[in-house]
Amino acid sequence: MMVGRLREALQQSLAPANLDIRDDSAAHAGHAGAREGAHLAITIVAEGFSGRSLIERHRMVYEAAAPLLAQGIHALQIHALTPAEAAARSSQRSS
């Protein structure tokens, strides 16, 4: 449920070319933060990240996700890439 809501928020705000959201909550079961909400990892590829620093990209993601952070997301791991960076990463992996 939280993954779907986050996906919708990010798609509306950032129009990503690619968006992968992984729920890592089960891996954190038993520690205090696990009771406070989901542990999510996202990889997002968006043209809007072009020319922006890593900090600016993370701020953009956090701004889009802000309403959800107080409603059930405890931790958010972000990999924010431009389409060119994603393509370069993909070609490095296939080499």
Side-chain angles (χ1 to χ4, degrees):
M1 184 164 120
M2 186 56 66
V3 170
R5 292 172 61 199
L6 178 59
R7 180 177 305 282
E8 184 177 322
L10 294 174
Q11 287 175 333
Q12 286 180 356
S13 295
L14 301 172
N18 190 2
L19 176 60
D20 179 55
I21 303 174
R22 187 180 69 240
D23 187 342
D24 291 336
S25 299
H28 298 274
H31 86 68
R35 290 186 299 274
E36 296 174 20
H39 289 70
L40 305 175
I42 68 169
T43 300
I44 183 169
V45 178
E47 190 62 48
F49 295 145
S50 296
R52 299 188 185 260
S53 71
L54 182 62
I55 297 294
E56 289 173 312
R57 296 173 189 193
H58 282 223
R59 284 182 182 148
M60 292 168 72
V61 171
Y62 278 116
E63 183 177 312
L68 302 174
L69 294 173
Q71 297 177 4
I73 296 177
H74 173 70
L76 188 60
Q77 179 184 14
I78 302 169
H79 297 282
L81 307 167
T82 66
E85 292 167 342
R89 239 187 212 194
S90 179
S91 67
Q92 288 175 352
R93 288 184 189 149
S94 59
S95 297

